[in-house]
Amino acid sequence: MSNTSRIAKNTLALYFRQILIMLVSLYTVRVVLNTLGADDYGIYNVVAGVVVLFSFVNNAMAASVQRFLNFYLGKNDTEKTRNVYSASLVIHGIICLIFVALAETFGLWFVNAKLNIPVERNSAAFWCYQAAVITTLANIMRVPYNAVIIAYEKMSFFAGLSIVEAVLKLVVVFLLKITPLDKLIFYSFLLAAVSFIILAVYKFYCNRNFEIAHYKKVQDKGLGKELVSFSGWSLFGAVANVANTQGTNIVLNIFTNVVVNAAMGIANQVNAAVYSFVSNFQTAFNPQLVKSYAAGEKEEFQRLVSRSAKFSFYLLWLIVLPVYANCDFLLSLWLKNVPQYSVGFVRLVLIFPLIESLNGPLWISIQATGKIRAYQIIIGMINILNLPLSVAAFCLGANPYWILYIRIALNCFAFAIRVLLSRKYFALSARLFLRGSVLIPVLIAAVSAFATFLCGKLISGSLPQFFATCAVSAVASGTLIFFVGMKAAERNIVIEKFRRGRK
């Protein structure tokens, strides 16, 4: 199977997965928010955020394991690939021990002493925190199995199991509505149980279907050091990224209250649902990016980088524009009670995935080269600036939206740095990349957005406006993408695929 056909097949599997997961997730958030209430939903988000702060080591190792599995598979080195898997199991076991030590000492103290939680809910927050710790342990041990499945590009299984996980969470929501127990504690521990069920299925599938997925004592001692060394440079970037996302949620809690955390939690759910479409597309691209670099296919590698960035932006824009234009209507339709700041937060966080859609192929490509020291230090320093700048803004009397304004500005700056580093590390043509994968998509976005918002102002009433803006957005964006955003060869491929589809 050709690279293009494999990517297309994997993308379709992941898209089907995401549509179902998104529908389930949107429904579960609605029910959980209304069942728990804004206060308890906000407590869950901020407490879980503290737990995630301590998972930065795992985040760094996840990128390292995925990179090395893809790299050695690209070189057809089965023995090295097996050693990477075995070493990663040992390393993630050690990470679990470190995580528990940090979470049950400093993390627990922080929750009890520093978070702004109503006194009557302190006990529930404690048990919610313990359940979040258990959930994170399962997610840490899932990483090696998840990396193997993605490296072998078994996206159909990955998609199917993700759907099963979403259905199990839906069952949790139904049980939440009928339980006589404390709903916050009950919800937290059932999610932990779901995580361990999915971990067991991952392990069973990998052990049964992949030759490399059987632990054996690693004789190559240098490989473990290589994995840790690579992840060591990723560690600073992982810390900065976690601080940038979860740390800002804690800053919000300290300077505001749990209701604002609930609004941010809703915005993050929308962001995750929207960005997951493009992340699925890039997940299908990523193994091919690393494998083409490992195989020395420079022209194919450069083509995949640019094409992945450009089409990621296009696919995401088709979703973001109508959601942004109809944010008030969609939130009121989705949620019975919309917490304050939710609409503004959602509109601002929708900008992040658009920037990240262009960033994704660049940082995956830099990882493929293995030259990540300077990259992680520079990007990590940019990301971590979000915390002190946000604290300073609140101290000066800024409203909660400023925490996202600052993050957007830093993300744009980080994108410029990634382009410069890509030019240095793998000779990316910055001029061609910016013109073909950035400037044209942005131009298309601006023109189609103008047409969409103009239509929205001409149509009165929420429901007619929603359908009208969706139609105008799809036509305007789709036409501009096809005739302006694609090269002649790319248009011919689309036409040919359409003709085959009709037959």
Side-chain angles (χ1 to χ4, degrees):
M1 184 183 294
S2 68
N3 288 346
T4 301
S5 298
R6 185 181 295 110
I7 290 170
K9 178 182 177 181
N10 290 336
T11 302
L12 286 174
L14 292 171
Y15 258 70
F16 177 71
R17 155 197 180 262
Q18 191 50 45
I19 289 171
L20 292 178
I21 290 176
M22 183 184 70
L23 294 174
V24 172
S25 297
L26 293 178
Y27 175 75
T28 55
V29 170
R30 171 192 171 98
V31 176
V32 170
L33 175 62
N34 290 311
T35 305
L36 295 181
D39 283 356
D40 273 6
Y41 187 73
I43 290 171
Y44 178 81
N45 276 279
V46 71
V47 168
V50 174
V51 175
V52 173
L53 281 175
F54 294 103
S55 64
F56 57 85
V57 177
N58 181 57
N59 294 341
M61 275 306 307
S64 177
V65 172
Q66 191 68 69
R67 184 264 177 186
F68 278 90
L69 284 175
N70 289 338
F71 188 84
Y72 287 120
L73 279 176
K75 287 184 171 292
N76 294 315
D77 191 334
T78 303
E79 187 63 25
K80 277 281 192 180
T81 309
R82 182 185 291 111
N83 286 339
V84 169
Y85 167 80
S86 298
S88 70
L89 284 180
V90 174
I91 292 170
H92 279 81
I94 296 171
I95 290 173
C96 283
L97 296 177
I98 296 172
F99 166 74
V100 170
L102 289 173
E104 295 299 339
T105 52
F106 179 77
L108 193 56
W109 166 81
F110 189 86
V111 169
N112 291 330
K114 296 298 180 182
L115 291 187
N116 184 16
I117 295 173
V119 176
E120 67 275 11
R121 299 303 289 159
N122 280 340
S123 176
F126 169 81
W127 289 111
C128 175
Y129 180 82
Q130 297 302 329
V133 169
I134 296 170
T135 301
T136 304
L137 287 173
N139 291 338
I140 289 173
M141 290 310 302
R142 188 195 298 188
V143 168
Y145 306 111
N146 186 76
V148 168
I149 290 168
I150 293 177
Y152 279 96
E153 301 182 62
K154 300 296 183 181
M155 302 306 179
S156 56
F157 173 80
F158 179 69
L161 190 55
S162 297
I163 293 170
V164 171
E165 184 175 9
V167 171
L168 288 175
K169 289 181 179 178
L170 186 60
V171 172
V172 169
V173 168
F174 287 128
L175 293 175
L176 179 64
K177 296 177 69 174
I178 62 174
T179 181
L181 304 174
D182 185 292
K183 295 186 182 299
L184 177 58
I185 298 173
F186 183 78
Y187 177 68
S188 302
F189 275 97
L190 281 187
L191 288 185
V194 169
S195 296
F196 269 94
I197 291 171
I198 298 302
L199 170 62
V201 176
Y202 265 112
K203 176 176 171 55
F204 176 78
Y205 178 82
C206 288
N207 291 160
R208 184 173 182 177
N209 291 279
F210 304 113
E211 180 186 356
I212 69 162
H214 295 277
Y215 175 79
K216 73 169 190 175
K217 188 175 181 180
V218 180
Q219 302 298 326
D220 184 1
K221 302 300 182 183
L223 180 61
K225 294 180 180 178
E226 193 176 1
L227 277 168
V228 174
S229 176
F230 187 92
S231 66
W233 291 117
S234 301
L235 188 60
F236 182 72
V239 171
N241 188 55
V242 169
N244 186 27
T245 53
Q246 300 302 326
T248 51
N249 204 24
I250 294 172
V251 170
L252 271 179
N253 178 263
I254 293 172
F255 285 94
T256 57
N257 53 60
V258 292
V259 175
V260 180
N261 284 122
M264 182 60 78
I266 291 167
N268 287 334
Q269 289 287 338
V270 174
N271 176 43
V274 171
Y275 182 64
S276 56
F277 280 94
V278 73
S279 66
N280 288 333
F281 179 73
Q282 291 184 347
T283 296
F285 259 98
N286 291 346
Q288 290 299 325
L289 277 171
V290 180
K291 290 173 184 177
S292 62
Y293 180 84
E297 300 168 350
K298 294 183 179 179
E299 290 186 5
E300 173 71 3
F301 176 69
Q302 294 267 4
R303 183 183 67 82
L304 285 173
V305 172
S306 295
R307 188 168 288 181
S308 177
K310 182 170 65 174
F311 284 100
S312 294
F313 186 95
Y314 292 156
L315 289 169
L316 195 58
W317 181 248
L318 291 171
I319 301 169
V320 166
L321 181 54
V323 173
Y324 189 98
N326 299 280
C327 191
D328 296 75
F329 170 68
L330 291 175
L331 285 182
S332 62
L333 183 67
W334 175 29
L335 307 170
K336 291 181 181 177
N337 301 304
V338 181
Q340 186 183 10
Y341 294 109
S342 297
V343 174
F345 282 165
V346 168
R347 281 184 167 150
L348 287 172
V349 299
L350 285 174
I351 299 173
F352 299 149
L354 290 171
I355 301 171
E356 289 304 312
S357 67
L358 300 172
N359 277 331
L362 295 177
W363 71 260
I364 287 294
S365 300
I366 291 172
Q367 277 196 332
T369 68
K371 302 171 184 177
I372 63 168
R373 181 177 62 179
Y375 169 82
Q376 292 291 357
I377 292 173
I378 295 171
I379 299 300
M381 289 177 66
I382 293 171
N383 284 335
I384 211 166
L385 280 174
N386 194 23
L387 274 182
L389 291 177
S390 297
V391 171
F394 276 119
C395 290
L396 293 172
N399 63 50
Y401 296 127
W402 272 91
I403 206 166
L404 298 178
Y405 295 149
I406 293 169
R407 188 173 164 191
I408 291 169
L410 291 174
N411 280 10
C412 292
F413 182 53
F415 170 71
I417 297 298
R418 285 186 175 97
V419 173
L420 293 176
L421 291 175
S422 297
R423 185 174 65 175
K424 176 182 178 181
Y425 291 153
F426 55 89
L428 175 75
S429 173
R431 173 184 288 183
L432 291 177
F433 180 83
L434 290 173
R435 288 173 60 187
S437 298
V438 179
L439 295 183
I440 290 178
V442 169
L443 176 63
I444 290 172
V447 174
S448 56
F450 175 76
T452 300
F453 283 109
L454 181 61
C455 172
K457 290 186 178 296
L458 295 176
I459 304 293
S460 60
S462 294
L463 194 59
Q465 178 179 327
F466 172 68
F467 288 115
T469 52
C470 285
V472 171
S473 171
V475 172
S477 299
T479 303
L480 287 167
I481 288 170
F482 185 79
F483 289 104
V484 181
M486 292 186 185
K487 297 178 181 179
E490 293 167 345
R491 286 196 294 271
N492 290 335
I493 291 173
V494 172
I495 293 170
E496 181 61 27
K497 292 289 184 183
F498 178 73
R499 287 174 177 171
R500 290 181 181 179
R502 288 183 64 186
K503 291 180 181 180

